[in-house]
Structure formats: C-alpha cells, structure tokens
Amino acid sequence: MFGKTRIPPYVPSADKLVRRQYVEENGHLIWFWYTRTGVIVKWALFLGITTLLALYLVLGRMHAKKRVNKGLKPMAYHGFLLSRQERAGVDPRYAWPQASYTTYQQPPSSGYGAGAGNYGMQSMPPPVYDPNNRPPMYEGGGGAPMGATKVDPIQTGVEPARAPSDDYAAPPGPPPR
C-alpha cells in the first residue's frame, strides 16, 4: 500500500507530487513519513492536537465554573463541561422538576362488576379454560409418563440431612503403597 503508488502516466503534476513524498536515504527511496524527521513531525502533530484539546477542556471548565460562581450562565461553547446540578444554580431550565403529588383521574365505570370503576378489573376472575377443573393431561395418553416423579418432592425449601451413601465410600482395606 505505502510506497507502491500507481500514477497514470498522463498526469505529470501528480507524478511530481508523489516524488516529493519520497526521500533518498542511504541509496534507497523511503517514504518521508517513515524517516526520522517524518516520525518526529507525526508525533509532534499528534501531541500538539492532544494538548490543545486537553487545554480546551480544562480551561473551559475552569472558565465555566467561574461564570457560574458569579451567577452568570455558562457560554454555549463550554456549557457542556458542567454537570446538570452545576448549571441548575443559574439556569432554571436545568433544575430538576418539582415533585407534584396528584392523583390520576379515574376512568369511568365500564359496568363489568363492582370493582370495575377502580382498576378496570372484573369482580370475579375470568373462568378457567376447563370448567370441570380437570388437571392437565400429558400428551400421549392417560397419566404421567413411565418413571416420572416430582422434580422437587420436598417443597419446604429446606433439604433434610441425608445419610451418606455407600456408592462413593472408600474401598475396604488399607490404602495401597
């Protein structure tokens, strides 16, 4: 990508411009930005722009706080550097809204029951899907599948102490040497 620039032969001005990007160093053509001077220029530009940005942020915040302490609104170009609480002291648009404790107007009664006017709910719960209140059936026939048990037979939330099982006991006799 770098160093293999293709220039059409019919544009002589671009050819001269590209040739200025290369510098001869120790008998080799090197792109200027890879020479020692080019690297210094790149870092100087980067650090200069970064320093200017940092100065703008720090000095802008100091200036905005100074204006707020005097009771003036911050200027538009550095107002974003202040918190909402700091801006609320001088600008009422940024103050937190006052709490208003009001009740909402109740909807008119729809006539579905005694409690319909309050929350729009029926006085009785809606009927269940199966009016005979049969328990749900498993697919494939009557009852639970073969070998099915409850997932948690002790549903108190506290599991009783169990006796240790002999499945994982140590083998009989002394340990091997």
Side-chain angles (χ1 to χ4, degrees), residues 72-133:
L72 302 170
K73 290 184 181 179
M75 303 299 281
Y77 55 87
H78 59 227
F80 71 95
L81 298 170
L82 297 174
S83 68
R84 181 182 180 128
Q85 184 180 5
E86 291 169 333
R87 290 187 84 170
V90 292
D91 194 352
R93 292 180 299 166
Y94 292 96
W96 292 102
Q98 292 293 322
S100 60
Y101 299 103
T102 60
T103 57
Y104 293 105
Q105 183 180 1
Q106 297 295 329
S109 177
S110 57
Y112 277 107
N118 293 336
Y119 299 106
M121 296 174 61
Q122 297 179 356
S123 58
M124 284 179 41
V128 288
Y129 179 73
D130 190 0
N132 299 328
N133 291 329

Side-chain angles (χ1 to χ4, degrees), residues 14-46:
D15 188 40
K16 290 178 184 177
L17 181 67
V18 170
R19 284 187 188 167
R20 280 190 277 160
Q21 297 289 323
Y22 291 92
V23 176
E24 187 172 344
E25 210 174 80
N26 298 332
H28 299 288
L29 283 178
I30 299 174
W31 202 33
F32 169 75
W33 297 108
Y34 289 133
T35 63
R36 186 166 193 257
T37 308
V39 171
I40 291 172
V41 168
K42 281 194 290 188
W43 276 103
L45 286 171
F46 171 72

